[in-house]
Amino acid sequence: METLIQAAYLIAAALFILGLKQMSSPVTARRGILWAGAGMVLATLATFMSPQILDSDQVSINIMLIIIAIALGGGYAWYSGKKVAMTDMPQMIAMYNGMGGGAAAAIAAVELIKASNEAAHDVTGSSTVADMLGADVAILGILGAIIGTISFSGSIIAWAKLDGRLNRSKLLPMQHAINALLAIVTLGFGVAIYFTNSIDTIIIFYLLALVLGVFITVPVGGADMPVIISLFNALTGLAVGFEGYVLGNAAMIIAGIVVGSAGSLLTQLMAKAMNRSVANVFFAGFGTDAVAVSGNGSEGVMKEIQAQDAGILMSFASQVVIIPGYGMAVAQAQHKIWELTQILTEKGVSVKFAIHPVAGRMPGHMNVLLAEAGVPYDMIYDMEDINADFKNTTVALVIGANDVVNPSAKTDSSSPLFGMPILDAIDSDNVIVIKRGRGTGFSGVENPLFFADNTKMLFGDGQKAASELIQAAKEL
Amino acid sequence: MIEGLAAIYIFMLAGFTGYEIISKVPVILHTPLMSGSNFVHGIVLVGAMVALGIAETTAQQAIGFIAVLLGAGNAVGGYVVTERMLEMFRPSDKKEKGEDS
């Protein structure tokens, strides 16, 4: 039976890798998740046959508890995952990711508590957790516990922030110094677990790690959220891989480490797109820097434009480039924008979509939303492909985007955005910005584009503004 | 059980595999892929089941129960959102049918 289970795990691991591989191409992506899903079902069913479980003293109670927990956890996730709006996807990923981290940490907790119990009741009286588990298992188990716990509480904070339940202003003084101290103390308790057999040490260790995850994530600014989610994703993978080693489970090791490394690379790609190192994202506190800078804000006035005029301008344009941002997602304006695009295309206007690598709250977030609305891929351009084309563009329509078109990233070395590659919307003949109000964006940085001579502001909710534009364009 | 050097090999090869998978991905699929890899580490469910399965005391059962609860949430939720996201990445010709809603 043991061999059969190991074979099932092996097949599951292969299905995960092949599934992920297929998910990396739009053509095969849907098959990819089905394969990975099949691997998950196979591994789960095989685990019910595991002799480790069946030989337990409390086998019937434990199996019943397993089934109840799967039904509750899985049922809730199924319901919430089906119900959530596409625009709220980032926070759902953050939450499910946190659950995975929590699960890894809880596995470690069971193993550590068990080992510490055994050590405490050992005849020698001076045994430690490390003696019971072996040095390798103890070290990886404790490391996985820290990482998983941080990912758990950190992801909850990320979820709360993205869901608008938590304001980022809640920041302790000397946050980074406190975080560093807390990290050292937490690691210290981790080492203490290794060399002792005390349950109290384990409990304090977990509490500290929970707080650490919260403290690390709270100061991170909204603009950096994609990086954080991706990083916690990678961390959870790593924690799962480590706990896989603790349990001697090859499927967990392979799947966990594959995700850990893939997620790390993805995190780097994202951070690079914003010209920020991963360390910078964590320790710089984007929001705090930005507030200090916004004081010497841009001069000039914003020029308003009515939807009617904007619609006419766009109808007679030769080329319109639409730059969507998170604001479009919030306003659920993607369907209206697509409708507008179709009307303009019928009028002979060349319409393109320009997507900044970090537009929205996750890389590819805007692509997903536009795909949902029905925009074909070939109208959607990456930053590198479109930037040179802005010079030939009559109207650049910025809807709900802000930092990704902020020219001070190129011109103002004191700006916190300085060095970040941007979409050169400012090069177009006209820029129309659909924006709810006059305030700064999520990162809190003033945007000189809004005050530029060729920029007109169209104030209002994204969806309403888009409807008005459609109306104006239709009437011509 | 996997031990010592063999485990290091697995760690190393799995690391390379993950790196290789991501390195050629178009930006358009970054979010679904992040979601997909989020689902894949839902395999933690299997470990959680073992942890609860071998629990001896009530405290261990309670923690194990939480582990399975969270692990199942990760796996099922990760699958559902990834599937929903990829649902939209059908080739353009088939797209028209499902878009009326």
Side-chain angles (χ1 to χ4, degrees), chain A residues 114-165:
Chain A
K114 184 172 288 203
S116 112
N117 266 343
E118 283 167 10
H121 296 106
D122 197 55
V123 277
T124 64
S126 60
S127 296
T128 66
V129 167
D131 294 335
M132 290 297 131
L133 292 175
D136 51 348
V137 170
I139 291 171
L140 286 182
I142 294 169
L143 275 179
I146 295 188
I147 299 171
T149 310
I150 289 175
S151 178
F152 173 66
S153 59
S155 291
I156 291 175
I157 297 297
W159 168 80
K161 287 186 144 203
L162 286 169
D163 216 39
R165 287 162 199 265

Side-chain angles (χ1 to χ4, degrees), chain A residues 437-460:
Chain A
R438 290 167 190 271
T440 53
F442 213 40
S443 73
V445 185
E446 198 70 65
N447 192 340
L449 175 71
F450 300 161
F451 304 95
D453 290 336
N454 53 344
T455 302
K456 311 269 191 302
M457 306 298 289
L458 177 53
F459 289 112

Side-chain angles (χ1 to χ4, degrees), chain B residues 13-100:
Chain B
L13 293 174
F16 283 130
T17 308
Y19 197 88
E20 189 58 27
I21 287 172
I22 282 279
S23 55
K24 288 173 233 143
V25 178
V27 176
I28 183 169
L29 279 172
H30 274 177
T31 293
L33 198 70
M34 174 152 76
S35 179
S37 57
N38 179 40
F39 163 66
V40 166
H41 68 52
I43 188 67
V44 71
L45 170 62
V46 166
M49 289 168 68
V50 173
L52 174 52
I54 58 174
E56 286 153 1
T57 65
T58 313
Q60 290 170 12
Q61 279 172 332
I63 301 170
F65 187 81
I66 293 170
V68 177
L69 198 72
L70 294 174
N74 183 180
V76 175
Y79 182 85
V80 172
V81 295
T82 310
E83 213 265 338
R84 275 186 62 190
M85 239 183 265
L86 291 174
E87 182 72 22
M88 300 180 304
F89 282 85
R90 288 181 166 170
S92 331
D93 51 343
K94 289 184 202 162
K95 193 174 268 171
E96 301 303 323
K97 294 176 200 163
E99 283 303 321
D100 300 330

Side-chain angles (χ1 to χ4, degrees), chain A residues 150-204:
Chain A
I150 289 175
S151 178
F152 173 66
S153 59
S155 291
I156 291 175
I157 297 297
W159 168 80
K161 287 186 144 203
L162 286 169
D163 216 39
R165 287 162 199 265
L166 179 74
N167 197 307
R168 79 188 135 104
S169 62
K170 286 175 189 164
L171 193 65
L172 294 178
M174 310 263 294
Q175 183 76 58
H176 298 305
I178 294 172
N179 286 357
L181 192 70
L182 188 59
I184 292 167
V185 175
T186 311
L187 274 174
F189 271 92
V191 174
I193 293 176
Y194 184 90
F195 288 110
T196 63
N197 55 25
S198 143
I199 296 273
D200 294 342
T201 315
I202 297 175
I203 294 172
I204 296 170

